[in-house]
Amino acid sequence: MSSPSAVAGPLGDPPPGERALARGITATWWYTVTAVVFIELFLVFAWALRVLATPADPIAIVVVGIGGIVWLLSTVVLLSAYRHRVENGPGFPWARIAAPLLVAVAYGVAAGLAADSWLFGIMPVAQSVVLLNWQRGVRVRVVGLATLVMIGFAFIDGARGALGGGVADWVPTLYAIVIPAMSVSSLWWWDVLVTLDRARASEARLAATQERLRIATDVHDLQGHHLQVIALQLELAERLMARDPDAALDQLRAARASVDDARQGTRDLATRFRSVPLGDEVANARDLLSAAGIAVEAEIAPDAGEAPASALGPVIRETTTNVLRHGAGRRARLTFARAGDEWRYEVVNDVDPAAQREHTGSGLDGVKRRIAEAGGTLEVRDEGCEFAVVVTVPATDDPRGGRR
């Protein structure tokens, strides 16, 4: 199992929400690594103090302290291999983990002799072993076995008189015994997060697949019906061509009408799948601006879904893009509500008075044309430090001929 990745969007790039989740998962992984490294660093520090408190050779302090830092760095390599592991993959990546394991063995032997402790001699090996990519259920047994082995060596140290009776002796001992369990608990939380993210990604892919299947079914039903009707009409026209040309011509006209119906049905189907409720459009605009670091105030009417999405949806998207490109990037205000017989959408953002800008570019020109076709109005206000776009469309007339 490699590190989780977001589900790609239509153009191959994950949407902003997916990228935020991916960043959060990456940050959680580094929190996990930091926690494990801090546990190991504290243990090395505690044992260095224990050796320092005894009349020992200064070389022993160097072996325990400096050697501990080298061993700690080797466990970071093991953690990296753990993160990029393959779930249920074949065996261990020995090319990556062989050197860290050898470092753990070397440090255990040297530090165990320097500290005169069998427990400290086995601890680096036990810690490095539990960081490997064990199969499900195996790691718990490995941690339990490592803990029991270290408890046994702690009793051996006590029987040899290597452990004193003070807190300075027992705290490093207890810490060394529990460090594998503490480290694995941190990795367990990371595994839980990865599992949840994979479930979320699988759910998103399944939802997208189901939606594609539903669209394909609708297109099949629509086109299959019309094509069958057209085929019958053309076949009938062919049979009537010799004995009744007028009737054959009527069938050809009917076939052409069926083609028009099929085209219109396909357009309506595509429009239905592309359309997004206006309330969601404004909410998406708010979230997008907030993600860009802009302080956003949004007032969205509860009945915003009743507004003409075909006219206002592209307007909301275009004005949001305009704020991102030409605004000063500090604040924006979005208002979408019904005012009498009109729907009114207003976006206001701050601008840099010293910046060179052009308010009536092709984007706003396109907005103006679209709103004019819907029977609405477009107002642009430039107030020096503030730029506003106000769009109104009739609340009763649907540009496609329906009623709202």
Side-chain angles (χ1 to χ4, degrees):
M1 176 181 62
S2 61
S3 58
S5 58
V7 179
L11 299 180
D13 294 327
E18 300 289 346
R19 290 196 295 268
L21 283 174
R23 288 195 296 269
I25 292 172
T26 301
T28 303
W29 166 252
W30 287 112
Y31 295 152
T32 303
V33 171
T34 302
V36 174
V37 170
F38 178 79
I39 292 171
E40 295 172 347
L41 181 62
F42 185 82
L43 178 63
V44 172
F45 178 74
W47 275 87
L49 289 180
R50 181 179 180 276
V51 174
L52 185 63
T54 61
D57 192 334
I59 297 180
I61 304 298
V62 175
V63 170
V64 174
I66 304 302
I69 300 299
V70 175
W71 165 71
L72 186 150
L73 294 176
S74 72
T75 62
V76 174
V77 177
L78 295 177
L79 289 170
S80 177
Y82 182 87
R83 183 188 182 187
H84 297 94
R85 70 196 187 278
V86 177
E87 191 73 18
N88 298 322
F92 297 108
W94 292 109
R96 299 185 63 182
I97 68 175
L101 291 179
L102 290 176
V103 170
V105 172
Y107 177 62
V109 172
L113 293 174
D116 190 24
S117 170
W118 286 62
L119 172 62
F120 197 58
I122 196 63
M123 184 277 302
V125 179
Q127 171 68 359
S128 297
V129 167
V130 300
L131 296 181
L132 299 180
N133 178 32
W134 296 99
Q135 298 294 326
R136 294 185 181 275
V138 176
R139 178 182 298 151
V140 175
R141 293 193 288 269
V142 171
V143 173
L145 179 61
T147 302
L148 291 176
V149 169
M150 287 192 292
I151 290 175
F153 279 116
F155 276 106
I156 292 175
D157 284 346
R160 294 173 48 245
L163 292 179
V167 175
D169 291 306
W170 281 103
V171 168
T173 299
L174 294 176
Y175 206 74
I177 292 173
V178 300
I179 186 174
M182 295 173 64
S183 300
V184 169
S185 65
S186 297
L187 294 178
W188 179 78
W189 280 110
W190 160 253
D191 289 340
V192 169
L193 178 64
V194 170
T195 301
L196 291 176
D197 181 67
R198 292 174 66 191
R200 175 198 56 77
S202 298
E203 182 181 6
R205 287 193 295 269
L206 179 60
T209 301
Q210 291 175 336
E211 184 68 11
R212 293 190 189 101
L213 181 60
R214 186 164 70 90
I215 294 174
T217 302
D218 290 345
V219 172
H220 175 271
D221 294 342
L222 175 68
Q223 296 294 341
H225 167 74
H226 285 294
L227 289 175
Q228 185 176 10
V229 171
I230 293 169
L232 292 174
Q233 290 168 336
L234 292 177
E235 182 179 355
L236 182 58
E238 183 180 9
R239 292 179 180 180
L240 294 173
M241 188 67 68
R243 65 176 183 269
D244 192 349
D246 292 336
L249 183 60
D250 290 340
Q251 292 300 320
L252 289 176
R253 291 194 182 102
R256 186 177 65 180
S258 297
V259 171
D260 293 337
D261 290 342
R263 292 168 57 191
Q264 184 61 44
T266 303
R267 283 195 296 267
D268 293 341
L269 185 63
T271 301
R272 176 158 57 91
F273 283 118
R274 286 199 305 263
S275 62
V276 177
L278 263 298
D280 293 345
E281 287 279 13
V282 181
N284 291 338
R286 176 197 59 202
D287 295 341
L288 180 60
L289 295 176
S290 298
I294 300 175
V296 182
E297 299 178 11
E299 298 180 9
I300 307 173
D303 57 347
E306 300 177 4
S310 59
L312 287 175
V315 172
I316 294 173
R317 292 190 291 270
E318 177 61 36
T319 53
T320 302
T321 302
N322 191 66
V323 173
L324 292 173
R325 289 180 177 176
H326 306 298
R330 290 189 298 271
R331 66 182 187 278
R333 184 174 69 254
L334 309 178
T335 306
F336 185 55
R338 185 164 180 165
D341 293 334
E342 294 180 332
W343 284 100
R344 187 176 189 274
Y345 174 68
E346 179 179 2
V347 53
V348 182
N349 63 279
D350 60 335
V351 294
D352 185 0
Q356 297 292 328
R357 63 187 187 276
E358 183 180 355
H359 301 313
T360 58
S362 59
L364 291 181
D365 287 342
V367 169
K368 185 175 182 180
R369 287 193 299 271
R370 184 180 295 273
I371 293 303
E373 293 174 358
T377 62
L378 171 68
E379 178 187 356
V380 177
R381 298 198 308 265
D382 187 356
E383 300 175 355
C385 296
E386 198 170 71
F387 184 69
V389 176
V390 182
V391 176
T392 59
V393 295
T396 56
D397 294 332
D398 190 334
R400 294 187 179 274
R403 302 289 294 176
R404 290 282 176 181

